[in-house]
Amino acid sequence: MLRPTRSVLLDAAVLIAIVGVVAGLVVLQVTAGGRGDDRATPSSQQSGGPVEHATLGPSPTPSTPAAAPTTTLPATPSTTAPVPPQPGSQASSLAQSAQSVAASPSIFRIATFNVLGASHTRKGGDSFIKTPYDTRMSDAVRILANHAVDVVGFQEFEPPQAQAFQRQMGAGWGMFPRPGSDQADGRQTIAWRESAMELLSARTVTYPYFGGQTIHTPAVQLRMRATEDTFWVISVHNPATNCAVCGGNNDRYRSAAVQREVEAIRALSADGTPVFLVGDMNSKRTFFCEMAAALPVVFAAGGSYGAGGCRPPQPTPIDWILATAGVSFSGYLSDDGPLVDAATDHPVNSVTAMLP
């Protein structure tokens, strides 16, 4: 039987010692890394202050109560030794959060809906539609459900219709302004599905209406509940010309209104927040070309503006949905079916929007 020599035994002892040193360094590095991760725990950022309200016009805006203060209870002493964090545990958690947000972009359905004012369909009204407003508002609610709308800008939304909508929708939908409020012109009320988004702030945009009268149309900043992304919506109704109740030629007032809307979009988007403008513009090609020339915006109905000239979408609507650059649109629908025809004298236009 062969026996190992002294040289072989010495080499083996040295090798075992080296392996022990390396293992000790690995353990030391892992322990140090764990403590470093523990010190780098990310903090959560939440808004607990009052909602601020400003105005782009002189009309009053709502006050929103401050968020209720929260009380932090002292931690209960632990009777067992704490388990040290595993190396990279915080980084893994952050990565999972980032993946979750990336997989859940802010997507919602937005619409513009001229509901045909109650005054137009009452006895002696000027509309060919004579169905009472309450019946038509029930139709309007069904239309919004059919389109799976999450936020809508109304036009000709007169007080009886606003009250009927509130009765039917209850607390499930937010509205600005609320029925009976003088915080903004209620004929252009903006409404949203509370389960999907919440109101952060409200303003008004001031512009000339029929005959040059000044109105203060609503603008709301909403926050998506799932992602906390925010965006603005402005609802408008620009004056028409040569209609039964138009009061003459309103071309100059309509042009001035578009300029005020351009200014409002520019102001509200200055910090990078997406802005949507929806409404009955009472203008087709002219509105498209004026707005596209003034701002880098995208139109839900399509169209192009650039070296090839101004090319509005075909067919060209008068009820528009547009947004600042970066917003993506898909699934645009202009609904002029039997239910819509029973409810109003306009199509109902809706589109799916994705925030940048």
Side-chain angles (χ1 to χ4, degrees):
M1 182 174 64
L2 298 177
R3 296 180 180 274
T5 65
R6 179 176 299 177
S7 175
V8 172
L9 291 174
L10 180 61
D11 291 344
V14 171
L15 180 61
I16 291 172
I18 292 174
V19 170
V21 171
V22 172
L25 290 174
V26 170
V27 171
L28 179 62
Q29 179 65 30
V30 169
T31 304
R35 286 195 296 269
D37 287 346
D38 189 52
R39 288 196 299 271
T41 302
S43 62
S44 60
Q45 299 179 357
Q46 297 181 355
S47 175
V51 177
E52 296 182 359
H53 297 268
T55 179
L56 299 179
S59 67
T61 54
S63 59
T64 301
T70 58
T71 302
T72 303
L73 298 177
T76 303
S78 175
T79 58
T80 59
V83 178
Q86 296 300 312
S89 61
Q90 281 84 6
S92 176
S93 177
L94 289 174
Q96 291 175 1
S97 298
Q99 292 171 355
S100 176
V101 171
S104 304
S106 293
I107 299 175
F108 54 90
R109 191 85 181 168
I110 185 169
T112 183
F113 193 164
N114 184 322
V115 295
L116 180 59
S119 62
H120 295 290
T121 60
R122 66 188 178 190
K123 185 176 181 180
D126 62 300
S127 176
F128 63 89
I129 297 176
K130 301 302 180 183
T131 307
Y133 74 86
D134 50 351
T135 300
R136 294 190 295 107
M137 282 311 302
S138 295
D139 293 340
V141 168
R142 290 174 57 197
I143 292 165
L144 293 176
N146 290 346
H147 284 237
V149 170
D150 297 300
V151 56
V152 56
F154 290 116
Q155 299 84 44
E156 297 190 27
F157 197 62
E158 296 181 3
Q161 291 158 294
Q163 294 163 4
F165 181 82
Q166 187 178 49
R167 284 195 303 270
Q168 294 188 48
M169 306 308 285
W173 279 70
M175 300 168 66
F176 179 73
R178 285 282 179 180
S181 168
D182 61 356
Q183 296 166 329
D185 192 319
R187 290 172 293 184
Q188 284 76 251
T189 290
I190 301 169
W192 59 91
R193 193 186 302 274
E194 285 283 3
S195 61
M197 54 194 69
E198 61 182 335
L199 178 67
L200 281 187
S201 62
R203 304 185 181 187
T204 58
V205 177
T206 303
Y207 64 91
Y209 199 45
F210 289 89
Q213 61 177 300
T214 298
I215 65 169
H216 312 292
T217 203
V220 297
Q221 185 181 25
L222 300 171
R223 178 168 59 194
M224 300 294 297
R225 294 187 184 275
T227 64
E228 297 192 354
D229 288 338
T230 66
F231 60 97
W232 285 94
V233 180
I234 309 170
S235 178
V236 301
H237 187 190
N238 293 345
T241 290
N242 298 327
C243 64
V245 293
C246 289
N249 190 320
N250 289 296
D251 288 354
R252 67 186 185 279
Y253 301 127
R254 186 168 59 253
S255 181
V258 172
Q259 292 309 308
R260 294 287 182 86
E261 290 149 14
V262 167
E263 294 168 5
I265 294 172
R266 186 175 288 125
L268 295 176
S269 65
D271 63 355
T273 303
V275 179
F276 293 78
L277 177 69
V278 303
D280 177 0
M281 309 305 177
N282 275 310
S283 176
K284 295 185 176 183
R285 178 184 175 85
T286 299
F287 172 79
F288 177 90
C289 295
E290 287 181 350
M291 188 62 69
L295 293 170
V297 292
V298 290
F299 294 83
S304 63
Y305 182 88
C310 181
R311 298 180 178 178
Q314 299 298 326
T316 310
I318 65 170
D319 302 283
W320 293 89
I321 303 173
L322 62 91
T324 47
V327 172
S328 299
F329 286 129
S330 62
Y332 176 77
L333 175 63
S334 186
D335 185 356
D336 200 17
L339 184 60
V340 172
D341 287 345
T344 182
D345 56 356
H346 280 247
V348 177
N349 298 338
S350 66
V351 70
T352 297
M354 183 169 71
L355 299 182

